[in-house]
Amino acid sequence: MRLYLSTLAKKIGVSCSYRLKKARHNAFLAEATLPRVVHIENTNACNARCVMCPREKMKRPVGYMDLALFKRLIDECSQWDSLEEVHLHGFGEPLIDPYLTERVRYAKEKGIRDTYVVTNASLLTSEVSERLICAGLDRIKVSFYGATKEAYEVIHRGLTFEVVKDNVRDLFDVRRRLDRSNPRICLQFLPQSANSHEEGIFKDTWQDIIDLSRGDRLSQAQLHNYATGRVYNPVNKKARRTSCGLPFETMHILWNGDVAPCCYDYNGCLVLGNVVAAGLREVWNNKAFQHLRKVHRNRTFSRVPLCDGCDQLKVPRSIEKRLLSYFALTIPPERDVAVAGGAEKREAALKS
């Protein structure tokens, strides 16, 4: 009897767990009338030739988003209660844009809750840091993929290790001098062949400088595939894959107004609309976007080759583990690196 009750309890538990997961999945893939996150590419120009990025395969013209267009997009975004984040970067180095500070300031004046920039920090001088902080930038992530000069400059071709390291330290110093809580700073490490042995050095270098009380963090990411550009991870098209969720919550706008499905489509191969000729709401709810969401909801990814070959679709964990094991990809997904820094250590580290 005990065995029977135990078995029944397990079955009920599994059934409830399955139903709960299914309900969450259905809610996640519900039709969204407006995006939760908007990516606005201010420029696709870049001053680096990082080995993991397919810059040499980019066929799009290099340019900068017109400031008037940007302001119109922000004006529309500011009317949405559902909007949580606006990312002010794309497939380029955002600090090259001479209007970046003005863009951040305008977004904050219009009430955008969370403005976010990802940068290589090569142009992040103390003056630029001060302007961005005073403009109200909420978050900044620095891609810092080498803990030594040798590894860093092999990966971030065209950049200088000492310059970038000093710029990052200056960012913390300027924020402290201004006594500001913004921006929250994330320093990200991306293991690959040239730096996989340096994770510990990276952590030791920065853990006493970041300020956990202000929301700073160290993170470790994983190499991802780029559509038509780079293939780092295997894709199992026979697995029962589920949506990445991006078509239901994120709108990715390129500098010329074209709307791509996500940031992994760096070349803008799949254009869902253009916000120069139409408003954000109109593009988000057009037939092309609805078709993409239908494909993701029904898991018929073969109907969109760009998605079908993407490593961001979710696969059952057991299959994923076998694939990663087979291809020797032991790098974990993006995660925070555990640190335990104190104020005294941070002060000493900044002065050293």
Side-chain angles (χ1 to χ4, degrees):
M1 177 61 74
R2 288 182 180 177
L3 180 60
Y4 169 76
L5 291 175
S6 175
T7 304
L8 181 61
K10 287 180 180 179
K11 286 182 178 180
I12 293 173
V14 169
S15 176
C16 291
S17 176
Y18 170 77
R19 289 178 181 177
L20 180 60
K21 288 180 179 179
K22 186 174 181 180
R24 288 175 177 171
H25 177 75
N26 291 339
F28 181 62
L29 301 185
E31 193 67 35
T33 55
L34 291 171
R36 184 183 66 83
V37 181
V38 173
H39 291 223
I40 302 178
E41 180 183 67
N42 60 332
T43 183
N44 61 341
C46 193
N47 60 340
R49 303 179 309 280
C50 301
V51 296
M52 62 279 171
C53 292
R55 296 287 313 176
E56 77 284 358
K57 295 185 178 182
M58 186 180 69
K59 298 178 181 179
R60 289 192 289 137
V62 174
Y64 300 80
M65 178 170 283
D66 178 74
L67 189 58
L69 172 61
F70 173 83
K71 289 183 176 181
R72 177 168 71 77
L73 298 179
I74 291 297
D75 288 345
E76 189 170 350
C77 287
S78 66
Q79 300 172 21
W80 303 344
D81 292 334
S82 61
L83 185 72
E84 296 179 12
E85 307 171 17
V86 171
H87 296 201
L88 304 175
H89 57 265
F91 194 65
E93 170 48 48
L95 296 187
I96 292 179
D97 175 17
Y99 296 106
L100 179 61
T101 300
E102 186 175 347
R103 296 183 201 273
V104 172
R105 181 178 296 110
Y106 188 81
K108 294 308 296 180
E109 288 174 351
K110 287 295 180 175
I112 300 301
R113 288 183 297 227
D114 188 4
T115 53
Y116 177 46
V117 165
V118 176
T119 175
N120 62 35
S122 61
L123 304 175
L124 192 65
T125 62
S126 57
E127 293 79 11
V128 172
S129 290
E130 182 165 348
R131 289 201 296 268
L132 287 173
I133 291 171
C134 292
L137 182 66
D138 296 286
R139 287 187 294 140
I140 186 169
K141 178 188 285 185
V142 177
S143 302
F144 201 95
Y145 300 160
T148 63
K149 179 179 178 66
E150 293 72 23
Y152 181 90
E153 294 184 2
V154 165
I155 295 170
H156 295 283
R157 293 177 300 186
L159 305 184
T160 303
F161 176 74
E162 294 86 358
V163 170
V164 176
K165 186 176 181 180
D166 287 346
N167 285 349
V168 175
R169 293 168 69 93
D170 285 345
L171 172 63
F172 285 98
D173 188 52
V174 171
R175 186 183 64 177
R176 183 179 54 143
R177 175 169 54 81
L178 295 174
D179 193 25
R180 299 288 289 265
S181 59
N182 70 294
R184 303 190 300 279
I185 303 169
C186 172
L187 304 182
Q188 181 169 275
F189 188 74
L190 182 67
Q192 46 201 288
S193 59
N195 70 355
S196 58
H197 59 290
E198 293 188 350
E199 180 183 349
I201 305 174
F202 173 81
K203 177 179 176 181
D204 291 342
T205 301
W206 298 110
Q207 68 175 344
D208 294 332
I209 294 178
I210 66 170
D211 190 341
L212 298 177
S213 68
R214 300 191 190 196
D216 297 343
R217 64 192 183 97
L218 303 181
S219 77
Q220 179 173 303
Q222 174 182 320
L223 287 167
H224 60 75
N225 297 348
Y226 284 93
T228 72
R230 293 278 193 275
V231 177
Y232 295 109
N233 301 317
V235 174
N236 183 3
K237 296 183 180 182
K238 295 182 180 180
R240 184 171 172 76
R241 298 173 294 169
T242 57
S243 175
C244 61
L246 292 177
F248 300 89
E249 64 175 10
T250 301
M251 192 173 195
H252 190 78
I253 307 168
L254 306 181
W255 70 266
N256 66 345
D258 283 346
V259 176
C262 63
C263 61
Y264 303 107
D265 183 12
Y266 68 97
N267 243 334
C269 296
L270 179 59
V271 176
L272 301 171
N274 187 287
V275 296
V276 174
L280 292 175
R281 184 190 295 267
E282 182 180 345
V283 173
W284 179 256
N285 292 292
N286 68 15
K287 290 183 178 180
F289 238 127
Q290 288 178 16
H291 171 70
L292 180 64
R293 286 193 280 268
K294 183 178 180 180
V295 165
H296 276 247
R297 190 179 296 110
N298 296 338
R299 301 172 177 172
T300 52
F301 302 112
S302 60
R303 298 177 65 183
V304 181
L306 192 79
C307 296
D308 198 35
C310 184
D311 64 339
Q312 297 302 301
L313 295 178
K314 299 173 183 177
V315 299
R317 291 297 300 172
S318 58
I319 296 177
E320 183 182 24
K321 287 180 180 178
R322 288 201 298 271
L323 280 169
L324 294 179
S325 175
Y326 179 77
F327 283 86
L329 295 173
T330 57
I331 302 168
E334 181 173 349
R335 60 177 176 80
D336 286 355
V337 176
V339 296
E344 296 82 5
K345 287 185 177 182
R346 187 162 53 254
E347 294 291 330
L350 284 168
K351 294 177 180 178
S352 63

